[in-house]
């Protein structure tokens, strides 16, 4: 069994799955021109926001992260199991059977509809259409 690859601790979203999650202070709070709070209050708000966000995220990750990761791991393991052992073999056997059905129905259509279509073609091939540019009343 192959050992698990080392996790990149610097770049934790290498596939950019969560680029839509904007949680930086500047992404959440902004004061419009003409409505500024005092600079010291804005700086302290920035510090409080970052501290609260970091503490809350770390607390919830520590409390629930391992269990949620385990649950999602089991979920994706179940999905892989279903595809490997159930869906893919089912699709393969359906493809095998449908080749036979395709040949059978192709033969039936060739025998029943082809003569009818050929007769209609011969019947309508005798029709001539003339376009007269002048009409006499």
């Amino acid at each position: 069994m192959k050992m698990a690859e080392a996790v990149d601790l610097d770049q934790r979203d290498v596939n950019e799955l969560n680029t839509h999650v904007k949680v930086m202070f500047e992404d959440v709070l902004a004061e419009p021109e003409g409505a500024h709070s005092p600079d010291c209050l804005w700086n302290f708000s920035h510090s409080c926001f970052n501290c609260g966000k970091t503490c809350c995220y770390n607390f919830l990750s520590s409390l629930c992260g391992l269990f949620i990761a385990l649950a999602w791991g089991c979920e994706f393991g179940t999905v892989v199991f279903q595809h490997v052992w159930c869906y893919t073999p089912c699709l393969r056997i359906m493809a095998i059977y449908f080749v036979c059905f395709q040949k059978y129905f192709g033969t039936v259509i060739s025998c029943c509809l082809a003569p009818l279509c050929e007769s209609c073609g011969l019947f309508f091939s005798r029709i001539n259409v003339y376009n007269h540019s002048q009409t006499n009343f």
Side-chain angles (χ1 to χ4, degrees):
M1 187 167 166
K2 183 179 162 185
M3 294 296 291
E5 294 179 19
V7 176
D8 186 356
L9 296 178
D10 294 326
Q11 171 61 310
R12 296 185 183 191
D13 191 10
V14 293
N15 293 323
E16 298 182 353
L17 298 175
N18 291 312
T19 56
H20 64 285
V21 180
K22 305 287 185 188
V23 294
M24 299 303 291
F25 180 79
E26 297 80 11
D27 297 326
V28 177
L29 297 172
E31 291 183 325
E33 197 61 40
H36 286 186
S37 59
D39 291 344
C40 62
L41 179 65
W42 190 249
N43 286 331
F44 190 64
S45 298
H46 180 268
S47 298
C48 289
F49 176 88
N50 285 331
C51 180
K53 177 186 71 168
T54 302
C55 290
C56 184
Y57 181 78
N58 288 338
F59 175 74
L60 290 173
S61 295
S62 299
L63 187 66
C64 305
L66 294 175
F67 301 111
I68 292 173
L70 177 64
W72 279 115
C74 291
E75 178 69 26
F76 282 103
T78 302
V79 168
V80 170
F81 174 83
Q82 289 172 337
H83 278 268
V84 169
W85 294 102
C86 301
Y87 301 148
T88 302
C90 183
L91 289 172
R92 175 57 58 198
I93 200 154
M94 286 172 42
I96 292 169
Y97 283 133
F98 287 162
V99 169
C100 294
F101 292 149
Q102 183 181 16
K103 289 180 182 177
Y104 172 74
F105 287 118
T107 303
V108 170
I109 289 172
S110 294
C111 292
C112 298
L113 288 181
L116 177 65
C117 291
E118 188 175 339
S119 298
C120 288
L122 289 172
F123 178 75
F124 290 119
S125 69
R126 295 290 189 181
I127 296 176
N128 293 322
V129 178
Y130 297 104
N131 187 8
H132 295 287
S133 58
Q134 282 189 328
T135 307
N136 294 332
F137 290 103

